[in-house]
Amino acid sequence: MTTTSSLVATLQGNSYTDPEVFAQEQASIFESLWICAVRTEDLPKPGAFKTVQVGRENVIVVRGRDDLLRAFLNVCRHRGARLCVEEQGEVRRTIRCAYHAWSYDLDGRLAAAPNLVKMPDIDRVAYGLVPVHLREWLGYAWVCLAAEPPSFEETVQNAATERLGDPAAIDRYHVEDLVLGRRIRYDVKANWKLIVENFMECYHCATIHPELTAVLPEFAGGYAAQYYVGHGAEFASRVEGFTVDGGPGFGRLPELSHEQDRRYYAITVRPQVFVNLVPDHVILHRMYPMAADRTVVECDWLYHPDVIASGADLSTSVELFHRVNEQDFDACERTQPGMSSRAYVEGGVLVPSEHHIALFHQWVNQRLRG
């Protein structure tokens, strides 16, 4: 498409609608990179498990008897039945297939099967569960399906450094020690890239986010915090906390610097995580693309343990970003039908305050080209 010097072309419309493009993205992006899977506090004791969709695979994350987290493909090695059909639960000793009763230890080794003693040649490790790479960061288990995963430090942790300009900045929030205060799951009828693009820009903020711009007035000017390395959007002078009514929050997290107080920072960790940092809590989004036009988003609100233990009312704190989420996802759902219009065959355009989104588009194209 032809553009002027002020406008930059977007991806073409079929990038958001074509099932073949979506399948390529699943293989080249979601099945090849590190994916944020589960909050580790959701698996408090041995035998606790959660299942998560990673690309076209279903993955079990389970805590072993040695207290370590491990991840496996959710597939029995006998005839391919799904092992754990629930999204979360707890097993006592083994993960047991309900079809033919093949059972696996929590470390993945084949533990038992009908008539197994009559088949002494079976290698219980080789016929154990297929392992998936796992790392822990920010209190979450991250998994990667690739045989040889990319560097976790370069592809995941460096996203925080690139955004904040200081490797230690995110450490001061001690996200791994915070406690889940609220989790909301959104089923969004839109392509995952539309959600990423929306999060990265604030050209829309003055139009659809009145509560957010009341707390962060600079967003009304159209420039998102992610447009500037190291910059955090400052709270309005009359605002006391990051709440829907501007009322008090819960006090600054203990180790934040003075520069981090009364400021909001946003980080995109490609391909599916948004981290929102404010002085008294952290909001983390995880996206799971289910189809070209459907994405499940889980949003966690994380607080200092003392806040949760006190029984504090989190409602005005949670409500601010819950409204932002609903406003954003509604906009993405309104945009999705236009992706298949003849008016969008060649794509759309980015205005100057959105030009950084072009880097995301370049990254997607590079991943698909291998």
Side-chain angles (χ1 to χ4, degrees):
M1 119 180 280
T2 302
T3 62
T4 70
S5 59
S6 295
L7 301 177
V8 173
T10 68
L11 297 172
Q12 294 183 340
N14 72 336
S15 177
Y16 304 88
T17 62
D18 190 335
E20 291 187 8
V21 172
F22 181 73
Q24 292 173 355
E25 292 171 345
Q26 294 285 64
S28 300
I29 296 176
F30 291 92
E31 295 170 15
S32 300
L33 299 175
W34 288 100
I35 300 300
C36 188
V38 302
R39 184 76 181 163
T40 58
E41 69 174 287
D42 290 342
L43 306 175
K45 59 182 180 178
F49 73 86
K50 290 197 74 171
T51 60
V52 62
Q53 194 68 22
V54 180
R56 294 162 294 182
E57 295 281 3
N58 197 262
V59 173
I60 305 168
V61 181
V62 62
R63 191 171 294 281
R65 282 187 284 273
D66 55 5
D67 205 39
L68 296 178
L69 291 180
R70 294 179 177 84
F72 306 98
L73 296 184
N74 191 9
V75 177
C76 181
R77 297 299 306 281
H78 173 223
R79 296 272 294 281
R82 178 161 290 192
L83 293 165
C84 297
V85 296
E86 305 89 356
E87 288 191 4
Q88 67 181 83
E90 184 180 327
V91 296
R92 288 190 176 182
R93 295 184 56 83
T94 62
I95 299 171
R96 183 177 182 271
C97 179
Y99 191 4
H100 294 96
W102 278 41
S103 301
Y104 303 87
D105 284 330
L106 301 184
D107 63 3
R109 185 176 180 270
L110 178 62
N115 305 316
L116 185 60
V117 294
K118 297 180 181 179
M119 298 175 278
D121 58 318
I122 291 182
D123 185 327
R124 298 194 184 202
V125 174
Y127 284 92
L129 299 179
V130 175
V132 173
H133 299 281
L134 184 148
R135 291 284 300 268
E136 293 184 44
W137 186 54
L138 301 181
Y140 287 84
W142 303 64
V143 299
C144 182
L145 297 180
E148 296 184 7
S151 166
F152 188 83
E153 291 73 19
E154 292 180 6
T155 59
V156 176
Q157 293 177 327
N158 272 5
T161 300
E162 290 172 358
R163 166 66 186 93
L164 301 176
D166 175 8
I170 197 168
D171 295 338
R172 300 188 191 106
Y173 291 85
H174 289 280
V175 185
E176 68 280 1
D177 296 327
L178 302 183
V179 176
L180 182 67
R182 191 73 54 85
R183 173 174 293 150
I184 300 178
R185 187 173 187 174
Y186 306 85
D187 199 326
V188 187
K189 298 178 181 64
N191 185 271
W192 69 277
K193 296 187 297 297
L194 291 178
I195 298 173
V196 174
E197 294 162 11
N198 172 276
F199 184 74
M200 291 182 69
E201 55 91 0
C202 218
Y203 191 46
H204 68 278
C205 287
T207 306
I208 70 172
H209 294 320
E211 298 89 355
L212 183 64
T213 53
V215 174
L216 305 173
E218 71 178 69
F219 277 6
Y223 285 89
Q226 292 186 83
Y227 198 83
Y228 311 96
V229 174
H231 176 73
E234 189 172 3
F235 291 7
S237 59
R238 58 179 177 76
V239 163
E240 296 182 73
F242 197 75
T243 56
V244 73
D245 58 4
F250 303 106
R252 190 169 74 187
L253 292 170
E255 294 189 20
L256 294 193
S257 68
H258 176 72
E259 291 74 20
Q260 291 171 306
D261 193 16
R262 294 184 56 78
R263 287 185 180 273
Y264 163 83
Y265 299 86
I267 303 166
T268 299
V269 184
R270 297 178 304 214
Q272 48 87 253
V273 173
F274 309 144
V275 185
N276 307 272
L277 306 169
V278 293
D280 63 335
H281 66 283
V282 171
I283 307 160
L284 190 139
H285 298 70
R286 291 169 284 150
M287 293 193 307
Y288 302 101
M290 309 304 290
D293 59 356
R294 179 182 172 228
T295 308
V296 171
V297 183
E298 284 194 353
C299 187
D300 290 349
W301 282 259
L302 308 168
Y303 297 85
H304 192 278
D306 291 347
V307 172
I308 302 302
S310 72
D313 181 2
L314 306 177
S315 58
T316 59
S317 178
V318 170
E319 182 63 21
L320 175 56
F321 228 90
H322 174 54
R323 289 194 194 180
V324 171
N325 286 338
E326 289 190 318
Q327 293 156 353
D328 280 338
F329 299 153
D330 177 69
C332 292
E333 289 183 342
R334 289 202 311 272
T335 302
Q336 182 65 37
M339 299 299 97
S340 58
S341 168
R342 67 187 67 187
Y344 212 80
V345 169
E346 297 298 324
V349 292
L350 303 171
V351 302
S353 64
E354 302 171 305
H355 281 185
H356 57 296
I357 295 175
L359 298 176
F360 169 63
H361 293 162
Q362 291 171 18
W363 176 83
V364 169
N365 286 331
Q366 288 168 357
R367 293 297 312 177
L368 296 185
R369 289 196 302 266

